[in-house]
Amino acid sequence: MPQPSSTLSLLRESALRTLQIEQAAIGGLQAKLDESFDRACELMLACQGRVVVTGMGKSGHIAGKLAATLASTGTPAFFVHPGEASHGDLGMITRTDVVLALSNSGETAEVTALLPLLKRLGTPLISMTGKPNSTLAKHADAHLDSGVEREACPLDLAPTSSTTAALALGDALAVALLEARGFTADDFALSHPGGSLGKRLLLRVKDLMHDGIRLPQVALGSPLRDALLEITRQGLGFTCVVDSEGRLAGVYTDGDLRRTLDQFHDLREVVVDDVMTRPGKRISPDILAAEAVRIMEDSRITALAVVDDQQRPIGALHMHDLLASGVI
């Protein structure tokens, strides 16, 4: 049932107020960044094992997201539930690891219960809390202050601004580590092989091109009829035209055929040399498939010849292949 306009206005005002409070909470983190942030990064960069991220309740959800972000950006990490850790899962933590513990109060019982065990193991501890004087903060090797003035919740009870701030600070930590490690797009792709992102970053032209007997090509001097038959046989909308050394001399496309029909009334005496496009667009097999998409779009073509270092055709790439692979 439609709501009165005045009610909708109140709803929007509430949403705007929430966003403003959370924006202020994130902005307030800038003044809290100090040498302790550097220390936390140094501990994680020197870690010979994995970063074990833990937290309870809403902080646990943020911790799980942070562990996933770290793992996908070059810092091996995983999430451990603090309650389960006290009942056997602590065996997942070793001396070579670093523990990153999240708790807004810094007094969460399930998290602070891990302190004696971590000290016994000698595992470095990084805490992220909203209370610099809390138990968790005082016992950490490095403390990240994610404190906020107030929650966006009008009751100042439900974790809202505090979880937003912790999420942002966690992202800042992950990005700082990413840059310090020199993490690249190729590195990112290796941990994201599924989905369109991984395909854009991983797939290369050689993975998608038509080669061998599927490569359309005719020799210089061939009758136009032979070129048309080759285009029809391979179904890629073009054919490579090669010289006596097997090098790409040009291409003949469906578009060229339309222009040929405007120029010649009798096609029986036409040879492909007279009507082909020289030198023809070409690409290396090692180029990213995403780069091939850009070249096709810029040139307004739907297919490319793939050539080796000697400019000999070794494959053909069609826009349909890029669509089918998920690159586009």
Side-chain angles (χ1 to χ4, degrees), residues 57-113:
K58 302 299 186 293
S59 292
H61 294 303
I62 301 300
K65 186 272 180 188
L66 178 52
T69 300
L70 289 169
S72 69
T73 53
T75 300
F78 64 94
F79 172 78
V80 168
H81 191 286
E84 298 295 337
S86 296
H87 295 277
D89 283 3
L90 189 67
M92 302 169 69
I93 305 174
T94 72
R95 297 178 186 276
T96 62
D97 296 329
V98 170
V99 171
L100 172 59
L102 280 65
S103 168
N104 186 43
S105 68
E107 303 292 347
T108 305
E110 292 86 351
V111 179
T112 57

Side-chain angles (χ1 to χ4, degrees), residues 285-299:
D286 296 317
I287 294 294
L288 286 173
E291 176 67 8
V293 174
R294 185 193 64 77
I295 293 173
M296 289 185 187
E297 290 176 340
D298 290 349
S299 303

Side-chain angles (χ1 to χ4, degrees), residues 50 251 253 327:
R50 299 177 185 276
V251 296
T253 70
V327 173

Side-chain angles (χ1 to χ4, degrees), residues 14-15 17-23 25 148-164:
S14 175
R17 184 169 59 253
T18 298
L19 293 174
Q20 290 173 338
I21 293 172
E22 297 205 349
Q23 183 181 41
V148 299
E149 290 189 8
R150 60 171 172 152
E151 299 288 2
C153 166
L155 303 176
D156 200 25
L157 295 174
T160 44
S161 300
S162 59
T163 49
T164 299

